[in-house]
Every structure is written in structure tokens, then in C-alpha cells.
Amino acid sequence: MSMNHYDYIKVEQDGGVATLTLLREAKLNAMNSAMMAELTDCFRRIHERADVRAAILTGSGKAFMAGADIEEYSGFDLGAFFAFQNKGRDMYRAIEECAKPVIAAVNGYALGGGFELALACDLIVASEKAKFGLPEVKLGLVPGGGGIQKALRAVGPYAAKEMLMTGRFLSAGEAMELRIVNEVTEPERLLPAAASLAQQIAEKAPLAVQALKKLVNEGRDASLETAQAYDRSYLASLFYSRDAQEGIAAFVEKRDPVFTGK
Ligand code: COA
């Protein structure tokens, strides 16, 4: 399954890590319908590919992604606008439903749908040049790609309302203080830092990593009791996996484990 036929994404693979770079630099990587469809397709392929264990998503130029393509939807009626929004929803879902962890390497502006794109990822590494914002209020709109509820859950109601109601851009440092960023790096260290995180994850037992993504994502909105029951059922199903048997044996035999994803 090739992942090299896109107009708006460059895909590179190094070992088990795929790096996707958005290629619409002149428009600050604003997402048009074609780019959304390509990202959805690419993450569905990554989901299927046994040779990809983690992915990195970044932008070319001075933006990660400056949001939905305002020019494209400016002439739409409500039906067309919602068809456009639904393409975005499919894209965020493809990342969330992708079994493999996805790291957003935010190189610059992550605004509106671009911030929502980063929030759909599992980890966020930011360059010191990154700017995060949900500026839809400046257009007379509200975020439609999950940003309101994700911001609320990530930073609490007060910081979320300030961000949403003012549309102000946050620096990487502010985003770090609000705990929506895992790590802030110098611009030239961004991709190496994301690659190092991806590598640390890619070498772990794939089924356990995939279970962790699902358990954290689904546990967030479940009751504690339900979420913990779900955690235990995954633990039970992993216990007899070849990788768990290998991991346990390797520890006892004082050697490195060799995981195969089975
Ligand atoms: N949709 C469509 N085009 C966009 C865009 C978007 N979301 N964001 C940037 N662009 C385009 C600009 O129109 C401009 O195109 P042009 O060169 O053909 O005129 C190009 O990208 C460069 O942007 P520009 O505004 O000139 O760069 P800047 O450095 O002066 O400002 C921003 C950067 C991010 C502050 C500004 O582009 C901006 O506010 N963008 C919109 C962000 C937004 O509201 N996103 C949420 C959308 S729902």
C-alpha cells in the first residue's frame, strides 16, 4: 500500500516511523477538501500497515496548519459548509482511530482546525516558534472540529474560555504551562525530538502501545469504574500475546526483548 501519491502530503519512512509533512506552504498549510481527504486516506493506511509503528505529523514553512481553508468555504451554503466540516471530522477520526500513536511536531502556527489537528494527535512537540489558537470567534464562528470540548478537557473551563472567547494565540511556552504540549524545542531540534519520542514508542510492544492509545482516549470520558474494567480486560487479552510472553521472558533472562506485534 503506497503512501507516496499525495499532492498535499510528503510521506517519509525511517524504520517503523512514518513522517508526514503538509505541503501547502504558500497558504500556511490551510486545509482544503483535497488535503483533508489525503490525510484521512494516509492515516487509514498507517492504521493497516504492520511496518509503521508510530507517525509524526508536521508542516512545511512557518505554519503547522493555519486552519480550514477560509477561501474555499467562503462561498458555501450551509449544506456545503457541513459537507466540508464532515471531511474534517473524518480526518480527525482517522487519526484518533489509527491504532498507531501520532506525534504532532508543531513547527509554527497551529490555528483553528490546525490546533484541532494537533489535539487529535497523541503527543504534541512544539518548536519555540509555535503558536496555538482557536480564532474562529474572530470570524463569527466557533470551532467545529472538536476543539471546544478537547480544549475544555485539556486545560479546564477558565483557560479554555479565555482561549476561545478572545481567539488569542498562545506561545509554545504558554501551551506547555497549560499542559497541552509534551515538550518545547529549539526550531531545529523539533523533528529530532519528535523522532526520538516516536522511536522510544516504536520499539515497545506494538499491541500494548495500541491498547494504551485506546484506553487513554476512551477512558477520558468514561466513569472511573468502567474505564478501569476496560483497562483490566485489555491486560487480560495481552497476557497471552507472544510479545508479553517475550517481554517477560527477556526480563527474566536479562536480555533485550524482540517484539513482533503478535
Ligand atoms: N485559509 C485560507 N488561506 C489562509 C489561511 C486560512 N485559514 N491562513 C492563511 N492563509 C493564506 C493567506 O490568505 C495568505 O494567502 P495569499 O498570500 O494568497 O494572500 C497566505 O496564507 C499567507 O498568510 P498571511 O495572512 O499573509 O500571513 P501572515 O504571516 O501575515 O499571518 C496568520 C499569519 C496565521 C496570522 C493569518 O494568516 C491568519 O490569521 N490566518 C487565518 C487563521 C484562522 O482564522 N484560522 C481558522 C480558520 S477556521
Side-chain angles (χ1 to χ4, degrees):
M1 264 192 296
S2 163
M3 295 189 294
N4 293 313
H5 57 285
Y6 302 116
D7 292 329
Y8 293 108
I9 321 167
K10 179 174 72 178
V11 185
E12 295 160 296
Q13 194 172 341
D14 182 9
V17 179
T19 299
L20 285 57
T21 307
L22 302 174
L23 295 179
R24 206 183 172 214
E25 190 173 334
K27 294 285 181 185
L28 305 187
N29 301 317
M31 55 178 175
N32 54 20
S33 303
M35 188 198 278
M36 291 191 269
E38 288 187 357
L39 280 168
T40 303
D41 182 76
C42 191
F43 281 109
R44 286 181 181 159
R45 285 172 195 264
I46 288 173
H47 174 79
E48 298 293 339
R49 297 250 314 227
D51 59 328
V52 179
R53 293 194 177 178
I56 296 170
L57 176 60
T58 195
S60 53
K62 67 177 181 179
F64 174 70
M65 181 192 273
D69 186 335
I70 302 170
E71 277 176 45
E72 180 173 335
Y73 71 64
S74 63
F76 284 171
D77 62 19
L78 186 62
F81 180 60
F82 264 82
F84 181 83
Q85 288 284 324
N86 288 341
K87 285 209 178 81
R89 194 193 53 188
D90 291 345
M91 174 185 72
Y92 302 124
R93 223 179 243 176
I95 296 174
E96 286 158 356
E97 290 176 358
C98 175
K100 323 297 167 61
V102 182
I103 299 172
V106 179
N107 49 305
Y109 291 113
L111 304 176
F115 190 8
E116 290 172 313
L117 185 68
L119 289 170
C121 296
D122 302 294
L123 302 173
I124 304 179
V125 183
S127 148
E128 286 162 351
K129 290 189 175 167
K131 297 260 179 246
F132 297 87
L134 291 167
E136 283 83 349
V137 71
K138 296 182 189 169
L139 301 171
L141 298 171
V142 298
I148 300 174
Q149 302 312 323
K150 283 198 182 128
L152 167 61
R153 283 158 179 71
V155 304
Y158 297 98
K161 281 181 190 160
E162 182 186 334
M163 201 188 305
L164 289 159
M165 291 175 180
T166 66
R168 185 170 78 80
F169 300 166
L170 306 179
S171 67
E174 287 175 294
M176 183 82 190
E177 273 172 32
L178 288 172
R179 303 200 297 173
I180 34 183
V181 158
N182 293 87
E183 187 177 344
V184 178
T185 72
E186 289 168 4
E188 57 282 6
R189 288 278 316 141
L190 177 69
L191 287 179
S196 158
L197 262 180
Q199 196 47 46
Q200 288 176 57
I201 294 169
E203 68 198 21
K204 302 298 182 303
L207 295 177
V209 170
Q210 293 170 25
L212 289 167
K213 172 166 179 167
K214 221 173 155 48
L215 291 169
V216 174
N217 283 353
E218 294 182 11
R220 186 176 46 201
D221 294 321
S223 73
L224 185 60
E225 200 180 340
T226 303
Q228 288 185 337
Y230 205 37
D231 295 350
R232 283 193 299 273
S233 75
Y234 262 79
L235 175 61
S237 72
L238 285 171
F239 186 72
Y240 286 118
S241 68
R242 265 192 237 167
D243 280 348
Q245 296 301 309
E246 164 66 7
I248 295 164
F251 180 84
V252 173
E253 292 160 19
K254 300 193 186 308
R255 60 174 175 82
D256 289 334
V258 180
F259 293 125
T260 56
K262 292 185 179 137

